[in-house]
Amino acid sequence: WNLLTNEAVDREPLTADWDLLFTRYMSNVMGTMYAVAGVLQNKTVEVAQLDAVDPSAAVAADAAGFYSADMNIIGSDWKSYNIDAGAYEYVEDRAYFVRAVDGAVWKLIFTAYGGGATGAMTFTKELMSATDIADAAANGTAVVYPNPVSGATVNLLLDVPSSNVMMEVYDLTGKRLMNRNVTGLSAMSVRTLDISALTPGAYVVRFVHGKGIATTKLIVE
């Protein structure tokens, strides 16, 4: 309620415009309702929690069959407070896979919490798949080679149901670094991509076309 205008204000964004809510909420902790800080998900978002894994090596295929629409799959239990050490500890062998509103799959690994002083929750995010794995057949396939690559160029092998695609290169934070049109495609087309501007690291390459998105990874040495 806005006291100045004397009007009700709808502060919540549209369901189609958000994936996760970082907030404080009441949760049952060992039989007692307690205020915790954590992450809740949109009702249209599904999350898979994988434990006893190497988070850096876990891939989207590992999460198949583990997705849930429960709103607190991430929740607050990725951290705990060690009274003796006087510091927060984190589950080191856990990765979350988030199937976002737009169908993209992201891997999240939580690494730090600022406590009551800031409430800041620190995590890494990696775009694993631009669309649901079940749609892979309709999206076509894309392969980069050699991979890993140490030179200034890499080859693209594309087999997609379209003669034109928009190629996009993202780093592991989700920042788009490159985009360009690729035209004149047919079955099993090969193109060359100049990657001289990319620094060593891992990247996600997407090929967006009218029927879907084909995605692959690129490692630059």
Side-chain angles (χ1 to χ4, degrees):
W1 189 263
N2 187 316
L3 295 177
L4 291 177
T5 63
N6 204 37
E7 296 176 335
V9 179
D10 185 359
R11 297 179 61 245
E12 182 175 337
L14 296 175
T15 300
D17 292 342
W18 66 280
D19 298 305
L20 301 176
L21 173 65
F22 295 75
T23 186
R24 285 173 59 87
Y25 61 96
M26 299 299 294
S27 180
N28 189 324
V29 180
M30 294 185 293
T32 301
M33 295 305 293
Y34 189 78
V36 299
V39 185
L40 303 176
Q41 66 206 56
N42 190 329
K43 63 183 179 181
T44 64
V45 170
E46 294 182 315
V47 175
Q49 175 181 311
L50 296 187
D51 288 325
V53 299
D54 177 355
S56 63
V59 296
D62 299 333
F66 293 96
Y67 285 95
S68 173
D70 292 347
M71 68 185 302
N72 61 344
I73 295 299
I74 297 178
S76 64
D77 63 352
W78 48 271
K79 54 180 169 44
S80 60
Y81 189 73
N82 186 321
I83 297 178
D84 294 333
Y88 280 92
E89 297 178 341
Y90 312 95
V91 182
E92 297 182 355
D93 60 351
R94 176 180 297 176
Y96 295 98
F97 289 85
V98 179
R99 185 178 292 152
V101 170
D102 62 2
V105 176
W106 293 82
K107 178 169 69 173
L108 271 58
I109 303 172
F110 286 82
T111 58
Y113 173 57
T118 67
M121 305 177 202
T122 303
F123 61 96
T124 65
K125 65 176 184 177
E126 179 180 354
L127 180 63
M128 305 298 293
S129 172
T131 56
D132 196 319
I133 294 174
D135 296 329
N139 297 330
T141 57
V143 176
V144 294
Y145 66 94
N147 194 18
V149 59
S150 57
T153 62
V154 69
N155 297 310
L156 310 174
L157 175 61
L158 303 176
D159 188 11
V160 297
S162 177
S163 61
N164 303 297
V165 300
M166 173 62 72
M167 186 210 67
E168 302 173 333
V169 179
Y170 292 81
D171 65 16
L172 296 190
T173 70
K175 179 181 179 181
R176 190 173 70 177
L177 305 176
M178 186 185 307
N179 70 296
R180 63 190 58 179
N181 286 313
V182 181
T183 61
L185 299 175
S186 57
M188 304 300 287
S189 295
V190 177
R191 295 289 187 273
T192 300
L193 174 64
D194 183 352
I195 58 169
S196 58
L198 299 180
T199 58
Y203 299 89
V204 174
V205 187
R206 308 195 323 163
F207 300 91
V208 184
H209 52 85
K211 298 182 180 179
I213 304 174
T215 306
T216 188
K217 281 189 175 183
L218 168 65
I219 306 296
V220 179
E221 295 183 332

